[in-house]
Amino acid sequence: MRGDVVRAVCRSLVMVIAGGLGLAAATGAANAAELVPFRDKVEPGTIVVRTGERRLYLVLGDGQALRYVVGVGREGAQWSGGSSIEGKFLRPHWAPPPAIRLKQPNLPAVIPSGSPSNPMGAAAMTLAGGAYAIHGTNRPESIGKFVSYGCIRMHNEDIMDLFDRVTVGTPVLVAR
């Protein structure tokens, strides 16, 4: 049951409407991607998220990857497994899911892009199955922590960098 709630929350976090009014107001200071050695046997072009490290790697091949600092699922909202990028959205609107609206009943049905209340940030990439996304943030201070309902949260500058480097169908591996 708890996993179903986590999946429903992130599914609703993702997109109700693509496009919008502009970039999210809080871009924060990005922890720019860092070129690092990467020895795992993973195909180039794969995204690897290591939740324990709170890091996302874009595997480049030849033993290298780009590493980004990310926010990941809080206790009880962590997951692992394989997926792929299913959709890419710039400046997404956000529809708070029922589980969040129960906790915060004053939230509107849809929060437009560009609103300081929109947690999706500058861009979002949905993962196959619709349960989770890799997305920007309106709370840059949360990056590097266990903070989400299961989605992978990035600085807005970092999500835009990653967004431009990957395509729909890019494999995503999440490991604890």
Side-chain angles (χ1 to χ4, degrees):
M1 175 73 172
R2 180 175 226 170
D4 292 338
V5 171
V6 169
R7 281 188 288 281
V9 166
C10 279
R11 184 177 308 116
S12 292
L13 280 173
V14 181
M15 289 344 70
V16 287
I17 305 167
L21 306 174
L23 292 176
T27 58
N31 291 322
E34 178 182 13
L35 185 63
V36 297
F38 192 86
R39 304 291 179 227
D40 294 9
K41 293 186 189 302
V42 178
E43 289 293 317
T46 300
I47 293 172
V48 176
V49 179
R50 294 181 178 159
T51 60
E53 293 178 17
R54 292 165 314 283
R55 300 294 185 269
L56 180 150
Y57 297 84
L58 175 60
V59 180
L60 301 176
D62 295 324
Q64 295 187 318
L66 291 176
R67 178 173 64 191
Y68 303 85
V69 178
V70 296
V72 297
R74 62 185 77 168
E75 186 175 330
Q78 296 176 12
W79 62 281
S80 60
S83 190
S84 62
I85 301 295
E86 186 174 68
K88 294 173 63 177
F89 303 91
L90 292 172
R91 298 170 300 281
H93 297 302
W94 178 56
I100 291 177
R101 293 199 64 195
L102 281 174
K103 293 177 185 177
Q104 301 175 47
N106 293 333
L107 284 175
V110 175
I111 298 175
S113 72
S115 168
S117 301
N118 184 328
M120 299 307 290
M125 297 184 291
T126 56
L127 301 181
Y132 302 106
I134 300 169
H135 63 81
T137 186
N138 64 339
R139 295 184 46 227
E141 72 280 1
S142 69
I143 303 304
K145 300 177 182 169
F146 297 98
V147 292
S148 76
Y149 286 92
C151 291
I152 309 303
R153 191 181 291 182
M154 300 180 76
H155 283 287
N156 286 325
E157 291 174 22
D158 290 347
I159 188 66
M160 294 307 298
D161 181 69
L162 184 63
F163 190 96
D164 289 342
R165 293 176 185 273
V166 301
T167 61
V168 169
T170 295
V172 177
L173 302 173
V174 178
R176 294 185 187 191

